[in-house]
Amino acid sequence: MANKVIPIVGGRRAPAPAFDGGALSDTRGRALPDLRISVTDRSNFRCVYCMPREVFDADHKFLPHAAILTFEEIARLARIFVGLGVQKIRLTGGEPLVRRGVDKLIALLSPLGADLTLTTNGSLLARQARALKDAGLNRITVSLDSLDEATFRAINDADYPVADVLKAIDVATGVGLAPIKVNMVVKRGVNDGEIVAMARHFRGSGHIVRFIEYMDVGSTNGWRMDEVVPSAEVVRRISEAFALEPLDPNYPGEVAERWRYRDGSGEIGVISSVTQAFCSSCNRLRLSTEGSLFTCLFAQSGHDLKSLLRGGASDDEIVNEIAAVWRARGDRYSEIRTAETAKQRKVEMSYIGG
Ligand code: SAM
């Protein structure tokens, strides 16, 4: 179901109805504990499944600095969200660490008391890990799609070496950001031959590799169903090498399905947005780089908050708007995905935040 669009009346937005302070849940009864904030639409990688270089080339128009939310604007919104029940905030992008001074943003967010995490490609992490931790970052997720040099460079399309990401993981561990989640997007024919090697490498390290099904996010990656490696196949391939058994979720609605090595050498996760849609428990809201709310990773449009922020709206008016957006939410894209819906024009993940 498409989201209700907040009406614009005579060029001005009609004010949302006053929030009654009751429980905030959407049309399918989903609460709002989880906020993702995209701090930049830029990245120093051109991962082929996310920001293909043919599209995100030298002519691509990234957002000008004046259009993106300032750290103070982000912090104000985050405070309002925490007041509405958000418990977890993830900074992402684009590549969040290409935006200068992200540690300053973390220092502004840390006193809010939410679980504060960040997802990064790892390329700039080694030199920033200490400052991020000192500013109050609780946890980190590092994306790494292959341990094989040629495969990794072919995916990141920025000639970036595996060794530097592994070093960044070590540095982040050293400053106290462990255990680290390591995200591997699996694309058939590209890196699926690396699944077991990745499991083997991180087994026993305390870090948790999460194998993610390749998704039809955005409109530029040319997604095809036959390039998706179902999580069931990932689990089967790993268990042929190392015996696995299922683990209970850490909390209701956890996106990754957990498996542990029977010999006690750690755990892995699989994220199956394509083959086992988890829309019914999806409780994430995304705040884009320029301050729009997106209620689904596969959304076609968002809800502008920036003009409220910059138009002098009070906190109460912003609360009303957020509550109206969440209460109207009915998204369940992954449950209704077909080859046809995959062709729809959707917002890019680098813009709304992965
Ligand atoms: N630049 C950061 C990074 O590399 O982790 C944060 C942003 S990135 C968009 C967030 C996550 O989304 C990464 O783990 C990335 O691999 C994943 N991702 C991007 N496009 C995807 C796709 N089409 N299917 C599945 N995961 C994807």
Side-chain angles (χ1 to χ4, degrees), residues 28-283:
R28 305 182 78 204
R30 298 168 294 193
L32 173 54
D34 191 339
L35 177 68
R36 301 195 158 210
I37 302 176
S38 174
V39 298
T40 177
D41 60 336
R42 295 165 198 252
S43 179
N44 52 351
F45 280 17
R46 285 292 174 274
C47 298
V48 289
Y49 54 73
C50 188
M51 294 182 77
R53 194 172 282 284
E54 317 79 82
V55 180
F56 295 88
D57 58 9
D59 295 329
H60 181 78
K61 297 266 177 296
F62 289 100
L63 293 167
H65 199 69
I68 71 178
L69 294 188
T70 64
F71 288 164
E72 289 70 24
E73 287 170 332
I74 293 174
R76 178 178 175 205
L77 287 178
R79 178 175 49 74
I80 290 172
F81 275 108
V82 170
L84 280 168
V86 162
Q87 296 156 9
K88 182 168 150 191
I89 296 178
R90 178 174 297 277
L91 301 183
T92 177
E95 169 48 43
L97 299 185
V98 301
R99 182 155 175 191
R100 213 172 309 142
V102 169
D103 56 309
K104 312 254 176 336
L105 173 61
I106 288 169
L108 292 176
L109 299 179
S110 172
L112 300 176
D115 182 25
L116 204 48
T117 67
L118 179 144
T119 303
T120 174
N121 62 29
S123 60
L124 303 171
L125 177 59
R127 68 183 90 141
Q128 296 189 39
R130 164 60 63 196
L132 296 170
K133 174 70 184 167
D134 288 350
L137 187 68
N138 299 120
R139 291 179 298 113
I140 199 152
T141 298
V142 177
S143 302
L144 178 60
D145 295 324
S146 177
L147 292 166
D148 174 75
E149 198 60 49
T151 308
F152 184 56
R153 287 183 196 243
I155 293 173
N156 69 52
D157 201 12
D159 231 11
Y160 200 80
V162 175
D164 288 16
V165 181
L166 294 177
K167 179 173 165 244
I169 290 174
D170 287 345
V171 174
T173 304
V175 304
L177 286 166
I180 291 167
K181 288 186 179 144
V182 179
N183 276 359
M184 172 179 176
V185 175
V186 184
K187 194 171 170 189
R188 194 178 300 282
V190 175
N191 63 344
D192 59 317
E194 286 283 296
I195 293 169
V196 175
M198 189 72 95
R200 179 178 292 115
H201 181 88
F202 286 102
R203 201 169 148 256
S205 69
H207 305 316
I208 302 169
V209 184
R210 298 177 333 152
F211 299 88
I212 303 178
E213 288 180 350
Y214 169 48
M215 298 182 285
D216 54 328
V217 289
S219 327
T220 57
N221 67 5
W223 182 89
R224 292 203 327 257
M225 185 64 204
D226 61 2
E227 292 172 329
V228 177
V229 179
S231 294
E233 182 178 331
V234 171
V235 171
R236 180 178 51 72
R237 287 209 217 172
I238 296 173
S239 59
E240 281 165 9
F242 312 108
L244 288 172
E245 61 191 15
L247 272 177
D248 287 337
N250 285 310
Y251 50 88
E254 187 173 26
V255 163
E257 181 185 287
R258 301 170 65 211
W259 293 79
R260 70 185 282 276
Y261 296 109
R262 277 185 190 233
D263 66 2
S265 54
E267 69 175 87
I268 60 157
V270 289
I271 300 182
S272 324
S273 162
V274 179
T275 63
Q276 281 172 274
F278 40 80
C279 301
S280 63
S281 59
C282 176
N283 47 25

Side-chain angles (χ1 to χ4, degrees), residues 32 34-38 81 90 92-93 215 217 282-289 291-299 302-303 305 326 329 348-349 351-354:
L32 173 54
D34 191 339
L35 177 68
R36 301 195 158 210
I37 302 176
S38 174
F81 275 108
R90 178 174 297 277
T92 177
M215 298 182 285
V217 289
C282 176
N283 47 25
R284 293 175 175 178
L285 182 58
R286 289 179 157 80
L287 177 64
S288 77
T289 316
S292 288
L293 290 178
F294 288 84
T295 55
C296 177
L297 180 55
F298 304 93
H303 306 265
L305 277 189
W326 191 259
R329 177 184 190 245
E348 294 302 319
M349 196 167 182
Y351 169 76
I352 56 172

